[in-house]
Structure formats: structure tokens, C-alpha cells
Amino acid sequence: MNRPRHILVTGATQGIGLALAKHYLQQGDVVVGCGRGESTLDHPHYTHACLDVTDEPAVRRLFKEIRSRLGCLDALINNAGIASMNPIALTPFETAQRIMGTNFLGTFLFTHAAIRLLRTSGSGRIVNVTSIAVPLRLEGEAIYAASKSATATFTRITAREVGQFGITCNAVGPSPVRTRLTESVPEDKIEALIARQAVPRWANPADVANVVDFFLKPESGMVTGQVVYLGGYG
Amino acid sequence: MEVPQIREVVLQAIERINLARRPKDRLEVSANAPIFGPGSGLDSLGLVALLIEVEEALQDAGHDVTLSDARAMSQTQSPFRDVPSLVAFIASLMAEAR
């Protein structure tokens, strides 16, 4: 490819999404980020859209703008995610809807729109972010884990549907990374989880970026429908 | 965009899809041709490819239309079953957008 890659990152305002946006800007890519809040990222190759990933008209406007400005997309990283750690009996319906909306339906909405632009790339990549909460089946995380489980299944089926366009679709499932999402979980609970990992340490955004880099490589065209968990789960 | 122009966009998209299909699998290119279901060799993935071609051609002409519909796979109600139903569906989406 004799031009910078065009990469769209959802949930790019903070945490892993922000780290991924910075990572790809450092590699010379053109990055479009989105999130509910304004971005602190100031880079000539970065543009930010303030939107909720479940706001369909706003998402359509974003893709229309990307199409007219960039022409095509090389990678979509569906990173936007929220959590509310609560036992099922204490989880309000509205909270469950919000988590499923952002974590799963947002991923669907962006994938649906991105297939059109990724096809033009010739080697389009979709990377979804799931979680080690899926294989761990932790009590108190049912809705969050279910939304990420839905994302993992969606990843595998998307891979089959978009393969005809030369697009791959994979997922990365981070073990605990210090972000606003994990801040809401008691430290002792997280430490207990980390102790169960084959590699018992906190993950860094760079560990996540490493897996995403692999999925995005041109040589990874035959790697699709895979879910890679960090830390030795799975 | 009027119905005859929409039909032309659809027929040109079918022609482009046909370029990637084996001669025996090529779709009929005519105003009343079947697209998806009985009488057509197009499977669901092939349908997706065709509809994305149509969407892109419409976008190039300045019309932001998304061809998603819950009845897509219905044998009797799919708006994608033949050229006339697809053209009518696109025209209705454009009318809604106005």
C-alpha cells in the first residue's frame, strides 16, 4: 500500500481506544476516532467525531464523511465499551440495555456501515474488542460478559460473511488493563483475577495493540474469525 | 432520481457483479429479472455483494441509501426478489429521505 492506512477507532476518547489511536498515528496512519466526549488528541492526521456508537443517524453521517474525505477504510477497531458490574438481581433493565447497546449493537452498527468502505480497501480489517470476562464467566458481570460474548460470536460469523470481500474480522479479549472501566471494579477482585492468569500481571494498552497489529498486518489475510485472549485465558 | 434511472443503476450493478461470476452462474440483466429466490442463482452472500454495488452507485450519484430490510430473506416479501421490487424499494427509501 503506497498511502497511509485509514483506521477508524471507536471509543477513542480514553483508555485502550485512545492508546490505539496514538499508536497508529505514531505509525503514520490516518486515524478517525469517535467517542461520546471531546478528544484531547491533537494530531494533523487525527479527526474526532463526538457521537454515541448506538446513534444510527450520527454513525451514518460519520461514514458519509469518511467516504467523501478518505474514499475508503482499511481497518475498523470496534473498541467502544461500557460496564456496570452488578449481580443480575440488582441490574436495572435500562442498564442492561445500555451495556448491550454500546458493547454489541454499536459493534454491529459500525460493522454494517464499514463493510462498504472496507471492501474498497482490498484488504480490509475489522477488529472487535471482547473481554476475558467471557471465558471466566464471573458472577456479577453477567450483562457485560454476555455483551462481549455476543461480540465474540458476531466476530466469527462476520468473518464468514465478509471474507468474499477480502475483509478479515477478528477479536482481542484483553485481560485487566488500568482504564476507567476497571477502576469501577474493587482492586482485590481484579488482583484475584490476575492471579489466575497464566501471565499474572496487569496488561498494558501496548499488549492489546500488539494483537491488533497482528490482525492488521497484510500477511494476516488468512487469519479471520479468531478471538485472542490476553493473559492465558481462553 | 426517477424510476428509470434507478433501474439503470440496478442493471449496471448486476452487470458488474456478473463480471466476477462464471458464465453459467451469471444473472439475467433485464427489467423484470429475478434477483434473489426462485429463478435466481444468487445466494445470500452474492445478494450482499450486489446490494453494496447498488448502494455505492447510488452514493456516487449523491443518494445516501442503505439497503437493509428485515424481509430480505423472505421468499415472498423480499424487496430484493427481482429487479422491479428492488427498484420500487429504492424509490420508496428515497421518497422517505425527502
Side-chain angles (χ1 to χ4, degrees):
Chain A
M1 193 182 291
N2 54 5
R3 60 163 174 79
R5 293 179 300 185
H6 303 156
I7 299 177
L8 172 58
V9 183
T10 72
T13 313
Q14 59 193 3
I16 294 171
L18 177 59
L20 289 171
K22 287 178 178 172
H23 174 73
Y24 290 111
L25 286 168
Q26 280 166 4
Q27 294 190 23
D29 299 311
V30 171
V31 178
V32 178
C34 67
R36 283 174 296 174
E38 297 286 348
S39 176
T40 53
L41 197 47
D42 182 19
H43 190 286
H45 290 163
Y46 182 75
T47 50
H48 188 83
C50 273
L51 57 79
D52 186 310
V53 292
T54 63
D55 182 347
E56 186 184 5
V59 173
R60 286 185 63 170
R61 281 195 298 276
L62 172 64
F63 276 90
K64 193 174 177 183
E65 189 192 316
I66 293 172
R67 186 175 195 272
S68 66
R69 194 164 61 85
L70 301 177
C72 76
L73 204 55
D74 300 301
L76 164 66
I77 303 172
N78 279 311
N79 162 75
I82 56 171
S84 173
M85 306 306 182
N86 256 332
I88 296 163
L90 304 180
T91 301
F93 182 60
E94 185 275 333
T95 302
Q97 276 185 314
R98 203 160 41 83
I99 294 171
M100 289 302 289
T102 298
N103 296 2
F104 172 60
L105 293 178
T107 296
F108 157 72
L109 201 48
F110 272 74
T111 302
H112 176 275
I115 289 170
R116 280 93 174 139
L117 289 179
L118 289 166
R119 197 180 72 136
T120 316
S121 163
S123 57
R125 302 279 187 263
I126 301 170
V127 181
N128 298 326
V129 177
T130 178
S131 167
I132 50 102
V134 175
L136 285 176
R137 299 183 183 89
L138 295 172
E139 61 275 20
E141 295 187 14
I143 307 302
Y144 175 72
S147 71
K148 293 298 191 179
S149 188
T151 299
T153 300
F154 183 73
T155 298
R156 295 184 175 108
I157 296 176
T158 301
R160 299 187 71 85
E161 293 196 10
V162 300
Q164 64 170 331
F165 302 127
I167 303 170
T168 67
C169 181
N170 295 286
V172 56
S175 51
V177 177
R178 291 192 190 279
T179 62
R180 188 176 289 181
L181 193 144
T182 50
E183 270 176 17
S184 63
V185 184
E187 185 83 8
D188 58 340
K189 193 176 174 188
I190 296 261
E191 292 296 345
L193 287 184
I194 291 173
R196 291 169 58 185
Q197 293 175 188
V199 182
R201 67 162 174 83
W202 283 84
N204 297 311
D207 296 311
V208 181
N210 179 51
V211 179
V212 179
D213 282 348
F214 170 67
F215 290 144
L216 264 51
K217 282 171 67 174
E219 295 83 358
S220 297
M222 286 291 280
V223 179
T224 194
Q226 305 302 310
V227 179
V228 174
Y229 293 107
L230 295 179
Y233 293 108
Chain B
M1 188 180 272
E2 302 300 322
V3 164
Q5 295 164 288
I6 299 172
R7 186 185 302 116
E8 194 54 33
V9 165
V10 170
L11 294 178
Q12 286 176 2
I14 295 174
E15 284 176 355
R16 284 195 296 278
I17 287 290
N18 275 343
L19 294 175
R21 297 172 71 84
R22 290 178 299 187
K24 71 180 184 63
D25 294 331
R26 287 191 181 142
L27 306 173
E28 181 185 332
V29 185
S30 72
N32 292 303
I35 293 178
F36 184 68
S40 169
L42 204 62
D43 61 12
S44 60
L45 295 183
L47 177 65
V48 171
L50 172 64
L51 295 180
I52 289 177
E53 283 284 341
V54 173
E55 277 182 5
E56 288 193 343
L58 291 170
Q59 283 175 347
D60 288 341
H63 301 279
D64 187 20
V65 170
T66 302
L67 300 175
S68 301
D69 193 275
R71 300 164 299 167
M73 297 296 114
S74 166
Q75 293 289 302
T76 54
Q77 293 181 302
S78 173
F80 312 131
R81 63 189 180 278
D82 53 31
V83 172
S85 65
L86 176 55
V87 170
F89 181 59
I90 294 168
S92 72
L93 290 177
M94 287 182 171
E96 275 174 31
R98 282 196 293 269

